[in-house]
Amino acid sequence: MTTYPISVTINGQVHTGDVPARLLLVHFIRDMAMLTGTHCGCDTTSCGACTIDFNGKPVKSCTLLAVQANGAEITTIEGVAQGGQLHPVQEGFYQCHGLQCGFCTPGMILTSISLLKHNPDPSEDEIRWGISGNLCRCTGYNNIVKSVQYAAMKLAGKQPEVVIINEESTVREMAH
Amino acid sequence: MIPASFEYVAAATLGEAFGLLKKHPDAKILAGGHSLIPMMKFRVAQPALLIDINKVPDLAYIKEDAKWLKIGALTRESEFENSALIRDKYHLLADAAKMIADPLVRNMATVGGNLAHADPANDHPAVMLAYDAVVVVSGAKGTREVPITKFFTGPFTPDIAHDEILTEIRIPLRKAGDGGCYLKIERKVGDYATAAVGVFVRLGAKGVCEYAGIGLTNLGLMPIKATAACKVLMGGPLSDAKIREAAQLASEAAEPTSDWRGTEEYKRALVKTLTVRALKQAALRAAA
Ligand SMILES: Cc1cc2nc3c(=O)[nH]c(=O)nc-3n(C[C@H](O)[C@H](O)[C@H](O)COP(=O)(O)OP(=O)(O)OC[C@H]3O[C@@H](n4cnc5c(N)ncnc54)[C@H](O)[C@@H]3O)c2cc1C
Ligand code: FES
Ligand code: FES
């Protein structure tokens, strides 16, 4: 089988390999770069568990070939926290109970980071629309939406807090 | 699932791609890959060679000239969502792009691939039929301009020879009095249409309809233009009576089959309702 030399920058580090054309990018990331935070949850390009940032855009890495990534700049969930500090979106998921099993979480986070980059103050509808290519089968979307709202607040320089109002958790800006 | 083995070339130019296509009868073009790679994973498609055109320069653009809105084949769906020009002036296209797949798929999927795949479930064929668009197909010997009404020659079969590539789509330049709308019923985000209707009207003096185009998505083996419905709308104002008549004719032009998305009867009823709503919305936009 013909193999193709590729060189891909993942989270700032160059990864090289000789890959057959049919190797999917998600498998290169997981099995050759050994970054197993990116998940693979379906065969039909439906779930978004495999979402990565590919040259500045979130895409489903199960539907790209590894050879297509030659020369690309990729960010995976492992590259999101900086200097031991959680990214505000990660912090939001942690604070708002945005995950249970965590299978969808890396994809949700990569998609949400991109969403907030383009729309720093999204409405609830815009958040639901933005993450509509990512499926969560256990947490449900309410807490995920709150996690993104938390992150938006934090990224805008405000200090969010999670409070319980009428038996519902709500994200709001902390009083000074 | 993993595709069967194949060879891969990232073409640097269209010329290189034409040459490779000519040499390899089992080769396929790889654009966004979001129809082709899923099919290869299921082994429904097993090309011997993929010719990746993503590195070919100047194939992705949205621009107007004196006569046309010109769209490069490699333009991603998300570019339509981000384009103020499309949002402000080409409502039918803007409506449809938002409803295609999901935001992540739209970052890869291309409009050229959507048309070249000639899937009746894809949304762009109906949009382009409604606009009466022109498809530009290029080959080693030059380019051809194919009217969209002649472009779909059979199920999943576009008028593109094996050694040709779809390079551009042309939509009539927006004039005052133009209005469009795309309405799609889907079971969930990312699903193909249960039924969808794309409508484009051009209204002249006194609201007289000079052109009407109605395209239907996922309502037959091929993309459908509801020609009889379009005809009754042209030549007069878009009255409620005419809109109702057109909607009835559009539902008769549909060729749906009963499946897990709904019965034939249900889908015909959807076409009727969606056609009325889309025409009313298009007329409002044309008047704005
Ligand atoms: C989960 C999911 C949901 C989807 N939902 C929708 C939906 O609701 N509506 C919808 O319309 N689409 C939907 N799609 C399809 C998506 O829009 C596809 O990406 C699109 O149909 C094909 O475009 P592509 O650029 O990915 O083409 P590819 O997959 O790269 O190619 C498709 C076919 O066209 C050929 N081809 C591509 N470009 C050219 C060209 N320029 N010249 C000649 N031949 C070419 C290829 O050889 C191949 O045969 C969905 C896809 C997924 C994965
Ligand atoms: S693994 Fe499900 S979309 Fe990629
Ligand atoms: S946290 Fe389990 S699938 Fe989302």
Side-chain angles (χ1 to χ4, degrees), chain A residues 148-160 171-173:
Chain A
V148 180
Q149 288 168 332
Y150 181 106
M153 231 176 253
K154 182 103 190 188
L155 284 163
K158 301 175 197 160
Q159 183 52 51
V171 183
R172 69 174 187 198
E173 194 179 353

Side-chain angles (χ1 to χ4, degrees), chain B residues 28-29 31-36 101 109-110 114 122-123 166 184 192:
Chain B
K28 268 202 169 291
I29 295 294
H34 274 50
S35 286
L36 186 52
T110 70
N114 198 293
N122 274 0
D123 293 289
L166 192 169
K184 171 174 173 178
Y192 291 92

Side-chain angles (χ1 to χ4, degrees), chain A residues 1-2 4 21-24 27 42-46 48 51 54 57-60 62-65 67-68 70 111 129-134, chain B residues 1-8 30-31 33-34 37-38 41-43 50 52 54-55 76 78-79 81 98 102-108 189:
Chain A
M1 199 189 304
T2 318
Y4 302 81
R22 65 177 179 163
L23 183 74
L24 302 174
H27 294 134
C42 73
D43 284 320
T44 51
T45 318
S46 309
T51 304
F54 185 81
K57 284 183 186 168
V59 300
K60 294 176 170 178
C62 69
T63 312
L64 264 78
L65 306 170
V67 278
Q68 284 180 278
N70 189 22
T111 300
W129 186 253
I131 60 168
S132 59
N134 297 81
Chain B
M1 269 178 265
I2 310 296
S5 292
F6 59 91
E7 311 275 309
Y8 169 92
L30 176 69
H34 274 50
I37 294 175
K41 287 199 220 173
F42 287 110
R43 312 266 172 130
L50 280 195
D52 185 350
N54 284 280
K55 301 242 159 80
R76 318 277 164 185
S78 53
E79 300 297 327
E81 282 176 285
K98 273 197 303 230
D102 65 53
L104 303 168
V105 172
R106 290 199 289 273
N107 279 335
M108 286 306 297
V189 167

